Amino acid sequence: MKIIKLTFLCFLMCSMVFSQEWKSQEWPILKSYDGDHLFQIALPLGGIGTGTFSLGGRGELRDWEIMNIPGKKYSTVTTGNNAPFFAIYTKALDGESSTALLSGPLYRHEYLHYEGRPVNHHGLPRFEEASFDAAYPFGQVHLSDKSIPVKVTIKGFNPLIPTDEDASGLPVAILSYEVENITGQSVEVSVCGSIRNFIGKDGSQFRTDWKGDYIPIGAKNNKNEFRQTDGLQGIYFYSDSVDREDTAWGTMALVTQAMDGVTFRTSSRQDSWNNGILNFWDDFSEDGILTERDKLEDQDPMASLAIKKIIPPHGKETFTFFLTWNFPNRKAWSNTVVGNYYSQLYPDAWDAAEKIVPQIPRLEKETLSFVNALLKTSYPEVVKEAALFNLATLRSQTVFRLPSGHMMGWEGVMDRFGSCAGSCTHVWNYEVATPFLFGNLAKTMRDVEFNYATKENGLMNFRASLPLSEANKGNAAAADGQMGCIMKVYREWQLSGDNQFLGSNWGQIKKVLSYAWTEKGWDGNQDGVMEGRQHNTMDVDYYGPNPQMGFWYMGALRAAEEMALAMKDQSFAGKCRRLFEQGSAWMDENLFNGEYYEHKITDPRTFEFLDVHDPNTSIPSFQLGRGCLVDQLVGQYMAHICGLGYLGNKAHIRTTLKSIMKYNYVEDFSRHFNNMRSYVMGDEAGLLMASWPNGRLEVPFPYFAEVMTGFEYSAAVGMIYENMEEEALKCIEAIRKRHDGAKRNPFSEPECGHHYARSMASWASVIALSEFQYSGTDKTMSVTSRPGTYFWSNGYAWGLCDVGDSSVKLEVLKGSLSLDKFSLSDGRKKNLKHIQVNEGESYIMTF
């Protein structure tokens, strides 16, 4: 076999002239994790709708999910040494060489395996110390080892820029290895990335070997090609033999901007008895320079790309790699390919690298502007953490974009498949990160709900089928989902100031609300009270008036009233006002029990009220009854965010939140019984879904004993609006303590699946603490009068507000803002006579 060997000196002499290599700026740190809190950390490296893989807490690359389906714990191979990895070679000029995996040590519980293969890369030498710093989307792994003459910081991110959904939706992962020489002599250092060409192997197809292990299949005559183009060189991964219609078909590229010292391999030995990794390790460990091979021996050949540099005594050098991909054939919950928005922008992964990499300096700068702005604010650290880290959900496989640009979402994702299809309205009702950070994406979701998923009679399918032409073919409406969508379309209209958006949707909005008034419907007698069968986010049907559906309904009526007035539809506005006043008064008089709002159960057949205390009464299963529900005020939560005011008696609202804290908050779950799923265990704390201080139903709704973060956030935010900040922070701190890196991933709060959409309700804490209100239609903005620095965003622009005792500095960091009036929460107002603050500008107001 012919061997092509490029010596280090020769390569330096003949290397092409490339553009200057990008080096990252200093990254902020919001949260640090020591060596005992790294096991579960997995920071997604990918854009909105592109899929991701994750940077692990110890530096490992894990959870490969770039091929249109979830892939938790999926590494493209069975557990072994062939998963994608980076390694480092070091050699002091007068000392011995050393080669190690760029990852921290194993934990004790990772040692046991029936065949001695407990984890990926189990047989590779590792660094003995590791820690992790994060300020999403920036993650930094710190590695050190007393036997290795360098310290390494692995820096990984993908651009995240509010209001710019395309810049935040790039199929790229940036991995920068900062290596510091800790000795008094020069050290040769080579950093190398190795990836098997796993195109076709997404894990959905597999065989079992003689040991019974699952072996992913799908790769077929895959090929790796070394390329050099203007400013880039690296490996292009492709396949001529995998079916081009397969969801796992696509392309990848591992590239660098390094000008000198780059060597590569496009294949290795055939991996019989793991000889592929042996062949690579021998080659790399010899001198840190890779030897190209001219013979392809595997279906999924392993390619490697290395950069070698000499680091002077106590000096530092950076080795940066970019991984891009394009897997266009997404099916999601459809039986046919629906495609990906991002795939339209690049014909292949190499084209993506050529277009994206030159933009990285600007994209990093804008991402840093966002993250540093939030970190600069006066919010408690735990609020910043909860709000920022849950934005990872937007970049997980929970979310994707159709070629039309429409954003779609699962509820969450299981390890290997999506959880609960259809951009479920009653789940996505809770999150507010999308509308306040990416307004255009939020509007696409409203378009799906009102113009694709809604039937002619106003029934909105709470799960939209795909392709969109089939979105309304179901026949399932959710009372909370449908009413919440009316509040959300009002919110999007206000935040955007887009009257055309309202006008084009008004007919559908009326139809969707009027569906509640159909005979034997949710409010068939049109008295402002929902008595009918109400399917909801507890995955059951409630019978009879209850606060959860009731306050969503009140919020929908208020939102529809405001929209009707803007559309000069006085008759519809008047009807909404009448039903709101009747319904709100009725709930305060009949559902409020002095401590919180109850559920009055009715007979499913006659809608007559049932006596839950009568032992002879047959009570429908899976109801709430007299329970104290964690999110009974969720409609009020959204009304506050939308600026729609109180939906019920203000004193009752505050008392209810105090009761939720009193009855539902558990300091220690060690003695708590839960017959369902456990997202809190042992000595952890949290807010129960429901409690029954007045006696529990025999068969309550299924999730009553659980704790789920999205519901906790909605209650906590309600507390903030009622000046119960201490209680709110106690709830939020309990959530984040549970996601500490050791027990759970800080970048994924699960409910029914990882990266659950409802967890993005955490962003509402930022809105509530700043008391931010904005109307693009009236060109008004309001913030808290409490002195401090606050982040603001309306989905189309964002910046900071510095509030002093007698002045406010309004700063626009992205976009532009037009205002006629600015006010503070204590009632002070400033008429501005139409001012416009553009990006990079600030405006000072005195009061």
Side-chain angles (χ1 to χ4, degrees), residues 168-239:
S168 303
L170 299 173
V172 64
I174 298 100
L175 289 167
S176 189
Y177 295 80
E178 294 183 352
V179 183
E180 180 183 356
N181 181 355
I182 59 175
T183 73
Q185 57 180 310
S186 295
V187 175
E188 289 183 16
V189 175
S190 184
V191 175
C192 177
S194 296
I195 303 177
R196 281 201 170 272
N197 187 332
F198 54 81
I199 293 168
K201 294 200 305 185
D202 63 1
S204 62
Q205 303 177 64
F206 56 86
R207 64 177 175 82
T208 55
D209 65 6
W210 61 276
K211 304 183 297 296
D213 282 343
Y214 291 125
I215 307 296
I217 59 175
K220 186 178 181 182
N221 297 321
N222 291 355
K223 299 176 182 178
N224 305 324
E225 175 185 308
F226 180 75
R227 289 186 176 183
Q228 294 173 318
T229 56
D230 185 24
L232 294 177
Q233 53 183 337
I235 309 296
Y236 178 58
F237 302 78
Y238 66 102
S239 176

Side-chain angles (χ1 to χ4, degrees), residues 364-576:
E364 181 202 31
K365 181 180 178 180
E366 294 190 27
T367 304
L368 283 169
S369 177
F370 163 56
V371 175
N372 284 328
L374 185 64
L375 268 55
K376 181 182 177 182
T377 59
S378 303
Y379 306 114
E381 295 297 284
V382 71
V383 167
K384 300 174 189 177
E385 178 191 335
L388 193 61
F389 286 20
N390 275 308
L391 296 183
T393 297
L394 275 177
R395 323 228 295 162
S396 70
Q397 279 286 358
T398 295
V399 171
F400 59 97
R401 294 181 69 189
L402 300 176
S404 60
H406 288 91
M407 185 173 117
M408 308 295 290
W410 299 90
E411 292 183 21
V413 292
M414 303 303 190
D415 282 358
R416 300 298 292 126
F417 53 87
S419 170
C420 305
S423 301
C424 178
T425 57
H426 57 55
V427 168
W428 280 86
N429 270 355
Y430 289 70
E431 75 93 12
V432 296
T434 305
F436 281 89
L437 296 179
F438 298 99
N440 289 325
L441 293 182
K443 287 167 75 174
T444 70
M445 297 194 82
R446 305 296 82 77
D447 186 44
V448 170
E449 292 156 358
F450 285 90
N451 299 308
Y452 290 93
T454 296
K455 301 177 83 69
E456 186 60 33
N457 66 352
L459 181 153
M460 178 187 287
N461 283 283
F462 73 92
R463 299 190 189 278
S465 298
L466 286 175
L468 286 180
S469 59
E470 300 181 4
N472 71 348
K473 289 191 175 180
N475 199 36
D480 51 355
Q482 191 150 331
M483 296 301 102
C485 285
I486 295 169
M487 298 185 76
K488 291 187 294 187
V489 77
Y490 169 82
R491 178 190 64 200
E492 269 61 283
W493 166 54
Q494 285 293 303
L495 290 176
S496 67
D498 187 348
N499 289 323
Q500 184 178 353
F501 171 76
L502 174 61
S504 63
N505 286 289
W506 177 238
Q508 290 296 95
I509 294 168
K510 289 179 66 176
K511 189 184 297 183
V512 166
L513 180 56
S514 299
Y515 180 78
W517 306 330
T518 57
E519 185 178 356
K520 295 184 180 180
W522 298 321
D523 184 16
N525 61 1
Q526 300 183 44
D527 63 351
V529 181
M530 279 195 170
E531 301 98 347
R533 174 182 176 182
Q534 303 151 59
H535 187 73
N536 63 82
T537 197
M538 303 306 175
D539 296 323
V540 296
D541 299 331
Y542 282 167
Y543 296 98
N546 63 86
Q548 187 183 27
M549 302 313 114
F551 281 116
W552 274 126
Y553 185 30
M554 294 303 99
L557 290 169
R558 278 288 296 115
E561 177 191 4
E562 295 294 332
M563 291 185 284
L565 290 173
M567 294 299 299
K568 296 181 170 47
D569 192 337
Q570 301 296 333
S571 174
F572 200 78
K575 181 173 184 178
C576 291

Side-chain angles (χ1 to χ4, degrees), residues 426-433 435-436 487-488 491 547-548 551-552 555 630-647 653 657 709-722 757-768 773:
H426 57 55
V427 168
W428 280 86
N429 270 355
Y430 289 70
E431 75 93 12
V432 296
F436 281 89
M487 298 185 76
K488 291 187 294 187
R491 178 190 64 200
Q548 187 183 27
F551 281 116
W552 274 126
V630 67
D631 68 330
Q632 60 188 282
L633 299 177
V634 62
Q636 183 63 70
Y637 152 88
M638 187 59 69
H640 280 318
I641 291 168
C642 293
L644 291 168
Y646 280 91
L647 305 179
I653 299 293
L657 287 163
T709 69
F711 296 98
E712 292 178 280
Y713 285 125
S714 67
V717 168
M719 294 174 195
I720 293 172
Y721 280 113
E722 299 305 321
R758 194 167 2 227
S759 68
M760 290 187 288
S762 58
W763 190 263
S765 58
V766 169
I767 300 168
Q773 292 291 327

Side-chain angles (χ1 to χ4, degrees), residues 196 265 267-272 275-276 279 293 297-298:
R196 281 201 170 272
R265 295 161 55 106
S267 66
S268 185
R269 285 189 183 278
Q270 186 173 351
D271 203 34
S272 175
N275 265 281
N279 178 249
R293 301 172 60 83
E297 299 181 37
D298 279 338

Side-chain angles (χ1 to χ4, degrees), residues 554-731:
M554 294 303 99
L557 290 169
R558 278 288 296 115
E561 177 191 4
E562 295 294 332
M563 291 185 284
L565 290 173
M567 294 299 299
K568 296 181 170 47
D569 192 337
Q570 301 296 333
S571 174
F572 200 78
K575 181 173 184 178
C576 291
R577 167 53 62 172
R578 174 177 59 81
L579 293 180
F580 166 73
E581 290 179 347
Q582 289 177 193
S584 179
W586 192 94
M587 286 199 298
D588 277 318
E589 293 170 7
N590 295 276
L591 298 187
F592 188 70
N593 65 9
E595 290 188 290
Y596 56 88
Y597 292 87
E598 295 184 351
H599 170 201
K600 300 290 187 184
I601 303 175
T602 60
D603 188 304
R605 297 160 300 179
T606 65
F607 293 159
E608 294 179 355
F609 291 112
L610 299 176
D611 183 358
V612 297
H613 300 293
D614 184 350
N616 297 316
T617 300
S618 178
I619 304 297
S621 296
F622 309 125
Q623 303 297 293
L624 171 63
R626 302 190 69 191
C628 180
L629 185 66
V630 67
D631 68 330
Q632 60 188 282
L633 299 177
V634 62
Q636 183 63 70
Y637 152 88
M638 187 59 69
H640 280 318
I641 291 168
C642 293
L644 291 168
Y646 280 91
L647 305 179
N649 182 290
K650 181 177 180 179
H652 292 176
I653 299 293
R654 180 177 173 82
T655 299
T656 295
L657 287 163
K658 286 186 172 292
S659 297
I660 290 172
M661 196 67 191
K662 175 182 177 181
Y663 293 123
N664 292 39
Y665 189 83
V666 178
E667 293 276 4
D668 186 329
F669 273 78
S670 298
R671 307 302 301 168
H672 174 71
F673 171 80
N674 177 9
N675 60 310
M676 286 287 289
R677 305 165 302 184
S678 291
Y679 301 111
V680 52
M681 295 183 288
D683 61 358
E684 297 175 325
L687 273 178
L688 278 173
M689 292 291 287
S691 61
W692 273 268
N694 299 310
R696 203 201 76 201
L697 295 173
E698 182 180 358
V699 184
F701 71 91
Y703 309 132
F704 75 96
E706 295 184 357
V707 171
M708 293 181 274
T709 69
F711 296 98
E712 292 178 280
Y713 285 125
S714 67
V717 168
M719 294 174 195
I720 293 172
Y721 280 113
E722 299 305 321
N723 297 314
M724 298 167 58
E725 187 173 320
E726 181 179 347
E727 294 90 335
L729 292 179
K730 188 174 184 179
C731 294

